[in-house]
């Protein structure tokens, strides 16, 4: 049985916008599943339907084997959802927030005590117990918000862009905690993100979506094989020097994707990697090209994402995807 099974899901808003368009996906129990897509892809619309906040226009959703529209109460009891806005009560202390949640979900007081202790440990919150919640930084508030939502020990935790706006350090701390939740509590985690490195670091399964549709779903390894791409990187002494050869390689491999980043050209090739490697080396040497090094690389998640979403052909240094 899957934790989540979505079939032919469509969501059209009253204003006519089709946020989800015949979408299918499955989430396994106990995994971290990342829904990766640019702004406006439909990530929040999907999470709002899965967590019973919105109705769908068409399609079926099964959560832990039960139909969502027929069993909304069952589903609400099994899940927790942490939205982008923090929802803790700043007039209460950390402990009061936790206890309030445990009473709301009618958790037996002995059990609640154990769970709260464990959550404070997982989320590294013990140093904050004596300070008022209103004095916490944004990152710590977000951690507490997730910890509170876990007091009821939900089977599935939904997180909509959990690290948006966080600095690098808070983001790394949050990632460590999400892995701990999966490993120590066995919670299935469904998160949305537009950060490639977040999906790459955390996920057992990555699902790439755009314009309300799923373009690909699988482990990092499966996505790598799915795109069947190898990358040759040539490092130049400067960006200007690298730029000169974009067209040369595109012509040589007939409209393959050549991208420029960090003074390097990245050439994506689908097959015959070793013969292409020799061909490129010959071209570089025969034309006395001023380059520093050449190597065959595995595609990064960014390469995979760009190929799958068929984004702009030339991704120049400093540009956002
Ligand atoms: N409540 C709403 N009413 C009308 N259109 C909406 C609503 N929520 C989202 N949309 C539209 O649906 C599309 C998908 O939005 P959203 O699900 O928020 O994407 P994401 O979370 O990936 O950024 C966008 O075009 C957005 O403008
Ligand atoms: Mg969103």
């Amino acid at each position: 049985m899957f934790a989540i099974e979505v079939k032919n899901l469509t969501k059209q808003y009253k204003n006519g916008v089709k946020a989800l368009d015949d979408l299918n996906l499955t989430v396994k129990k106990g995994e971290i599943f990342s829904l990766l897509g640019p702004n406006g892809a439909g990530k929040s619309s999907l999470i709002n339907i899965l967590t019973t906040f919105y109705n769908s226009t068409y399609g079926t959703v099964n959560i832990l084997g039960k139909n969502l529209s027929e069993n909304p109460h069952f589903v609400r009891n099994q899940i927790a959802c942490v939205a982008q806005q923090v929802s803790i009560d700043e007039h209460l202390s950390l402990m009061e927030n936790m206890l309030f949640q445990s009473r709301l979900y009618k958790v037996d007081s002995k059990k609640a005590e154990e769970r709260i202790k464990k959550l404070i440990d997982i989320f590294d919150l013990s140093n904050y117990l004596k300070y008022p919640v209103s004095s916490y930084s944004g990152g710590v508030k977000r951690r507490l918000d997730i910890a509170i939502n876990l007091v009821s020990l939900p089977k599935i935790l939904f997180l909509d862009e959990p690290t948006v706006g966080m600095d690098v350090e808070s983001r790394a701390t949050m990632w460590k905690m999400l892995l701990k939740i999966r490993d120590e509590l066995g919670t299935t985690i469904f998160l949305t993100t537009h950060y490639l490195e977040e999906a790459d670091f955390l996920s057992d399964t990555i699902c790439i979506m755009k314009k309300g549709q799923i373009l690909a779903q699988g482990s990092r390894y499966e996505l790598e094989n799915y795109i069947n791409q190898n990358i040759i990187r040539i490092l130049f002494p400067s960006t200007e020097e690298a730029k000169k050869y974009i067209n040369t390689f595109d012509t040589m491999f007939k409209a393959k994707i050549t991208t420029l980043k960090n003074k390097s050209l990245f050439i994506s090739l689908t097959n015959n990697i070793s013969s292409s490697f020799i061909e490129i080396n010959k071209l570089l040497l025969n034309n006395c090209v001023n380059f520093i090094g050449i190597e065959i690389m595995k595609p990064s998640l960014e390469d995979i994402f760009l190929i799958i979403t068929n984004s702009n052909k030339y991704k120049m240094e400093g540009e956002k995807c």
Side-chain angles (χ1 to χ4, degrees), residues 73-304:
H73 294 294
F74 166 83
V75 170
R76 270 179 225 132
N77 273 322
Q78 304 292 320
I79 65 170
C81 179
V82 181
Q84 275 167 18
Q85 304 88 344
V86 173
S87 62
I88 45 183
D89 190 331
E90 300 206 0
H91 301 292
L92 302 179
S93 69
L94 187 158
M95 206 47 148
E96 284 166 342
N97 266 291
M98 294 280 225
L99 286 169
F100 180 77
Q101 185 81 357
S102 73
R103 285 183 201 127
L104 197 66
Y105 278 84
K106 301 191 172 62
V107 183
D108 164 275
S109 61
K110 188 91 194 107
K111 263 196 191 139
E113 201 182 311
E114 277 167 35
R115 269 185 215 167
I116 291 170
K117 224 173 126 205
K118 180 148 182 111
L119 288 166
I120 287 177
D121 176 46
I122 289 181
F123 285 89
D124 210 1
L125 288 167
S126 57
N127 291 340
Y128 299 92
L129 281 166
K130 54 183 182 291
Y131 301 108
V133 171
S134 56
S135 70
Y136 297 176
S137 70
V140 176
K141 279 183 188 163
R142 192 83 57 91
R143 264 152 60 188
L144 174 58
D145 200 16
I146 298 177
I148 289 170
N149 274 281
L150 287 168
V151 170
S152 60
L153 219 59
K155 301 260 185 343
I156 309 173
L157 174 67
F158 289 91
L159 301 163
D160 198 1
E161 309 247 5
T163 64
V164 76
M166 276 188 185
D167 58 58
V168 177
E169 208 176 315
S170 312
R171 180 169 295 153
T173 310
M174 179 63 86
W175 290 351
K176 243 179 27 203
M177 287 163 188
L178 295 180
L179 292 174
K180 262 189 172 175
I181 296 169
R182 179 197 63 188
D183 297 340
E184 291 183 27
L185 303 177
T187 316
T188 305
I189 301 178
F190 182 106
L191 65 92
T192 70
T193 184
H194 63 268
Y195 298 121
L196 290 149
E197 71 277 23
E198 180 156 290
D200 205 6
F201 183 84
L202 281 176
S203 321
D204 299 299
T205 301
I206 300 170
C207 183
I208 297 179
M209 79 177 287
K210 190 182 174 183
K211 293 190 182 148
Q213 294 185 321
I214 302 299
L215 302 180
Q217 175 182 335
S219 65
R220 173 74 157 75
Y221 177 72
E222 284 163 344
L223 290 180
E224 244 170 53
N225 287 339
Y226 175 83
I227 60 161
N228 187 26
Q229 294 273 338
N230 281 293
I231 304 220
I232 294 179
R233 175 189 180 205
I234 310 164
L235 175 62
F236 288 87
S238 68
T239 302
E240 285 65 39
E241 196 62 24
K243 234 182 222 174
K244 286 190 207 163
Y245 297 98
I246 291 179
N247 287 334
T248 314
F249 293 116
D250 267 357
T251 315
M252 184 168 175
F253 296 106
K254 299 197 178 55
K256 291 286 183 284
I257 302 170
T258 307
T259 58
L260 170 62
K261 211 167 108 181
N262 300 334
K263 299 183 192 168
S264 297
L265 285 186
F266 296 83
I267 306 165
S268 303
L269 298 163
T270 37
N271 45 29
N272 290 331
I273 187 77
S274 44
S275 63
S276 304
F277 188 68
I278 296 169
E279 230 180 302
I280 293 173
N281 266 299
K282 271 192 198 153
L283 182 137
L284 294 171
L285 296 172
N286 291 346
N287 293 287
C288 299
V289 174
N290 183 14
F291 74 104
I292 291 175
I294 177 164
E295 63 173 337
I296 297 175
M297 295 172 62
K298 284 221 151 267
S300 67
L301 186 60
E302 184 175 332
D303 302 318
I304 296 173

Side-chain angles (χ1 to χ4, degrees), residues 13-15 17 19 37-46 54 160-161:
Y13 288 107
K14 286 201 181 84
N15 61 2
V17 173
N39 282 329
K43 303 183 296 296
S44 294
S45 299
L46 177 58
Y54 290 173
D160 198 1
E161 309 247 5

